[in-house]
Amino acid sequence: MDKKLHCLETFRVQDMHGATYKVHAYEHLTRVDNLLDMRTQWEPTGEVEFKLETGEHLDLDEDGTLHVLGSSMPLRRVSPSAHVM
């Protein structure tokens, strides 16, 4: 099964010390071969992952808080008007 990532959005988060970071949200897609017309289609798997711009993977808590894997420091989304990318 072939998979690829599709960037859904990019946004900023802020840690409890006020530092901001850029986050990319990716949707996992899987390849589906359509035998009727021989075209390749990509379908979403329902899995989404979040990564810092530097590549570290993030966990998403039930309350919407992100944090770097293995860290308990919360990262909260910054409203778009509060910070320009």
Side-chain angles (χ1 to χ4, degrees):
M1 177 185 317
D2 291 335
K3 283 187 164 184
K4 71 177 183 176
L5 297 177
H6 169 74
C7 187
L8 293 173
E9 67 175 321
T10 300
F11 56 94
R12 294 254 180 213
V13 294
Q14 190 172 46
D15 67 17
M16 56 196 260
H17 302 293
T20 59
Y21 307 91
K22 188 183 284 187
V23 174
H24 301 286
Y26 296 99
E27 175 181 44
H28 286 241
L29 303 174
T30 187
R31 188 173 77 180
V32 178
D33 292 322
N34 188 339
L35 298 177
L36 297 177
D37 62 9
M38 301 304 293
R39 291 188 335 196
T40 299
Q41 296 178 347
W42 292 92
E43 298 287 333
T45 65
E47 184 179 352
V48 175
E49 74 177 64
F50 299 90
K51 290 184 182 182
L52 288 176
E53 184 176 37
T54 54
E56 291 101 325
H57 289 269
L58 301 173
D59 271 338
L60 178 66
D61 292 340
E62 289 180 12
D63 67 356
T65 302
L66 291 163
H67 57 84
V68 177
L69 289 175
S71 168
S72 61
M73 181 176 296
L75 301 171
R76 301 208 188 275
R77 188 184 287 243
V78 175
S79 67
S81 60
H83 189 86
V84 177
M85 283 192 208

